[in-house]
Amino acid sequence: MKKATRVSNAVGIRNLCEVASLVLRTMPVNAATTFTVRTLMREAVNKSNSSYRGNDNKKNVRYVSAAAVPHLAQKGPVVAEHLIPISVLLNSRLYAAVDPVVETDALVHLAKQYANMALISVEEDALLRKHKLQSTMPANWDGADLFARYRAVGIEVFPIEEIGNKELTERAPQVLD
């Protein structure tokens, strides 16, 4: 086997989407192909984040919840997750948007559309799970609002650059000892 060479994120995203397109065009839809496409598209989505810093999703987030901020200073438990779950991309948009022929360009566009991630607290993650919004969007989702799940359960998120912002710091609850 020929030694793999490093490529830019843009080339890597396109390569991942090209393989996903090939699988979707040539293979039957079953558990194995769905797993393969999910894995390829998850990595393409992660690499599409403009601040991509490797496979540690906690380093690739663009947003943070006020409740997660106190945990950051203490290196406490937080959850990195996609604003729009990857399963939404796969279950609704992916097949519907480009069926019957899944074009690589369409997959690259979808990967970039779904690239935003946030750090939330473990309690907020449980809240999403409780409202069955961990891997779905609210029933009334307009297809565009990135923050619809968070609004539905009362999670406030901010661009991560605002962590030093006084207003955000005042909103952040104190971590109990």
Side-chain angles (χ1 to χ4, degrees):
M1 178 186 254
K2 189 174 160 183
K3 184 179 176 186
T5 57
R6 287 201 167 276
V7 297
S8 68
N9 269 359
V11 171
I13 292 162
R14 184 154 191 83
N15 289 347
L16 289 161
C17 291
E18 182 111 19
V19 173
S21 174
L22 178 66
V23 169
L24 288 167
R25 284 183 283 131
T26 61
M27 303 293 294
V29 176
N30 57 40
T33 56
T34 300
F35 173 80
T36 300
V37 171
R38 177 182 303 273
T39 303
L40 291 163
M41 290 306 297
R42 182 178 305 278
E43 188 60 21
V45 165
N46 290 345
K47 283 182 177 290
S48 292
N49 183 334
S50 61
S51 59
Y52 180 74
R53 293 185 192 97
N55 290 329
D56 182 356
N57 282 341
K58 291 178 182 175
K59 294 178 181 177
N60 295 319
V61 298
R62 291 175 128 167
Y63 299 93
V64 62
S65 73
V69 170
H71 296 287
L72 299 178
Q74 299 178 7
K75 304 258 191 250
V78 290
V79 177
E81 61 123 49
H82 295 95
L83 299 182
I84 300 174
I86 298 294
S87 59
V88 172
L89 163 72
L90 293 172
N91 295 335
S92 61
R93 299 289 181 123
L94 180 61
Y95 297 103
V98 291
D99 193 45
V101 178
V102 181
E103 298 293 334
T104 301
D105 289 340
L107 295 179
V108 170
H109 173 75
L110 286 172
K112 290 178 179 177
Q113 183 181 352
Y114 284 74
N116 293 304
M117 296 182 73
L119 279 178
I120 61 174
S121 70
V122 172
E123 295 79 15
E124 290 168 326
D125 187 53
L127 189 60
L128 287 171
R129 191 174 303 117
K130 176 183 172 188
H131 287 89
K132 300 191 184 326
L133 292 173
Q134 190 170 22
S135 59
T136 62
M137 295 301 285
N140 63 349
W141 183 48
D142 63 5
D145 181 6
L146 296 176
F147 306 102
R149 290 186 307 144
Y150 300 137
R151 273 195 248 300
V153 298
I155 298 172
E156 258 188 300
V157 294
F158 303 87
I160 201 152
E161 305 86 52
E162 293 185 20
I163 283 183
N165 180 318
K166 184 178 182 224
E167 179 186 340
L168 175 59
T169 305
E170 288 171 358
R171 286 184 178 184
Q174 297 303 309
V175 178
L176 301 174
D177 292 326

